[in-house]
Amino acid sequence: MLNSIGIFCGSSAGLNPVYLQAARNIGAFFAKNHLKIVYGGGKVGLMGAIADAAIQHDGQVIGVMPQSLVEKEIAHTGLTKLYVVKDMHERKYMMANLSDAFLTLPGGAGTLEEIFEQWTWAQLGLHQKPCAFLNVNEYFSHLLSMIRRMADEGFLKTEYLDMLIVEHKPDVILEKFRNYQPPKHKWQ
């Protein structure tokens, strides 16, 4: 059952306005489709744009933020629920437990670290949740080429490459989330 989407994205808006617009669109899209958004809890960058758009469309938005970032006053105060946790490890663990699928929008190192952890956990069979990239402005195309090279060079099984959902349209991602069939986990 798909009830909530964990979203990883930038705490910055990026330089091209297309990223901010995509964030707003995805927040509104999930709200209109009655899916809860689980994200890092920030009011800044793409994170804040997603939350604001979802809230504006009567969506439920759950934030998970470490105390150290709350103290820096970047927490969004208008969320359905904000969980304040001890550290980044606890944040990622809680987000994983609260989410039925994971979507990645443009962002930096933290964004990649978060989705790669979920993708790794899926490979190991720690969960069976889909992982996706919204490839706005071909942002992830070079990264995906590198991931394909991992498979070509024998460092990644093809089925783990194929389990990643990479699309340009939110409705296609949602359909693929709903039809997702996880591969066998790595050590099965």
Side-chain angles (χ1 to χ4, degrees):
M1 193 69 171
L2 190 64
N3 294 309
S4 58
I5 310 297
I7 300 181
F8 306 122
C9 63
S11 59
S12 170
L15 298 176
N16 189 330
V18 69
Y19 302 124
L20 200 55
Q21 188 57 52
R24 290 180 184 126
N25 291 346
I26 205 74
F29 176 79
F30 285 136
K32 290 175 184 176
N33 282 278
H34 309 289
L35 292 164
K36 277 187 251 178
I37 292 173
V38 177
Y39 85 119
K43 65 181 179 183
V44 296
L46 299 187
M47 292 172 54
I50 288 169
D52 289 342
I55 291 165
Q56 188 175 37
H57 289 89
D58 298 321
Q60 293 186 47
V61 184
I62 310 300
V64 184
M65 183 173 276
Q67 180 65 44
S68 62
L69 293 178
V70 172
E71 290 168 4
K72 292 184 185 342
E73 298 182 356
I74 63 168
H76 197 299
T77 57
L79 304 177
T80 307
K81 174 78 177 161
L82 176 66
Y83 292 98
V84 179
V85 296
K86 179 178 66 173
D87 56 31
M88 293 297 282
H89 296 290
E90 191 175 340
R91 174 199 227 178
K92 291 183 295 179
Y93 182 77
M94 180 175 270
M95 286 181 69
N97 287 332
L98 293 172
S99 303
D100 299 320
F102 304 98
L103 177 63
T104 310
L105 273 71
T111 300
L112 294 179
E113 187 266 336
E114 290 169 324
I115 191 60
F116 274 48
E117 182 169 77
Q118 294 310 318
W119 180 38
T120 301
W121 288 4
Q123 290 176 47
L124 295 173
L126 299 177
H127 67 68
Q128 296 187 333
K129 302 171 185 180
C131 296
F133 291 86
L134 183 64
N135 200 10
V136 179
N137 198 33
E138 301 301 322
Y139 185 80
F140 294 111
S141 294
H142 290 294
L143 175 67
L144 295 165
S145 293
M146 181 62 213
I147 293 170
R148 277 187 213 89
R149 178 145 189 216
M150 291 175 188
D152 292 346
E153 297 290 338
F155 291 101
L156 177 71
K157 291 183 180 181
T158 304
E159 58 261 34
Y160 302 137
L161 166 63
D162 295 341
M163 72 192 288
L164 291 176
I165 298 166
V166 182
E167 293 293 339
H168 296 89
K169 297 181 178 180
D171 58 324
V172 177
I173 288 174
L174 182 55
E175 181 182 335
K176 290 186 176 188
F177 277 169
R178 289 184 170 144
N179 295 313
Y180 178 73
Q181 295 294 319
K184 290 181 185 177
H185 59 80
K186 191 171 185 168
W187 304 114
Q188 191 170 3

